[in-house]
Amino acid sequence: MRELTYEDSQSKQNPMKEYMESLRNQDDIFSGDEYLLPSDLLKIYGKYEIACEEYHSARCSGLVCKEDLEDIGNELKTAYKEYRTAMKDAVSQYQSVTVNTTAESDIHKENDQEEERSYRFHR
């Protein structure tokens, strides 16, 4: 059985880890697999996706008047802004935790190496 390391426990605590690892373009935070988003972000994404489908359906049907189509378009814009803001916040938090975790991990590694050196010295 594999021993749980400090890094493993930290990565399991961050719900964005799997999504961030799925990014096809590291410079585009929206290029990951949406089904890997944490549940709160997945709900926000779902609202955006529904608004997007509703707008395109209404636009393509030709049965919706111009004013109603504008209202549906505004709902789509609002849903997208909410999704975009939530994603940016989540990624920012993920990156700050990752930086801190990496720094803590480096400290742990340095301490382990220091201990190892001191053990060798005392032998």
Side-chain angles (χ1 to χ4, degrees):
M1 190 165 170
R2 199 183 100 145
E3 187 177 315
L4 185 66
T5 65
Y6 176 78
E7 291 164 343
D8 291 337
S9 65
Q10 289 299 313
S11 65
K12 287 185 180 185
Q13 291 177 5
N14 195 317
M16 284 294 288
K17 182 181 186 315
E18 287 185 77
Y19 176 79
M20 294 302 289
E21 289 176 348
S22 76
L23 294 180
R24 289 176 280 295
N25 176 354
Q26 296 300 316
D27 296 330
D28 181 9
I29 64 171
F30 301 99
S31 68
D33 297 325
E34 289 84 8
Y35 69 91
L36 295 173
L37 288 170
S39 61
D40 57 335
L41 275 174
L42 192 56
K43 287 178 186 176
I44 295 169
Y45 173 75
K47 289 178 184 178
Y48 161 62
E49 188 173 33
I50 289 169
C52 190
E53 289 176 10
E54 185 177 335
Y55 175 77
H56 289 293
S57 176
R59 188 174 60 101
C60 292
S61 74
L63 301 173
V64 179
C65 70
K66 182 179 177 183
E67 292 80 18
D68 289 345
L69 189 59
E70 286 176 5
D71 290 342
I72 295 170
N74 289 335
E75 290 174 16
L76 172 59
K77 288 176 187 175
T78 300
Y80 176 70
K81 287 178 185 177
E82 289 175 12
Y83 170 59
R84 184 175 166 196
T85 301
M87 278 293 288
K88 286 184 175 188
D89 291 345
V91 169
S92 177
Q93 288 176 355
Y94 170 80
Q95 290 172 337
S96 69
V97 168
T98 302
V99 167
N100 290 338
T101 302
T102 303
E104 288 177 20
S105 177
D106 289 344
I107 290 170
H108 286 285
K109 285 178 186 176
E110 288 175 17
N111 288 342
D112 290 345
Q113 289 172 349
E114 186 67 33
E115 276 184 32
E116 191 174 308
R117 276 185 247 139
S118 66
Y119 288 138
R120 285 189 203 147
F121 180 75
H122 292 293
R123 288 187 192 170

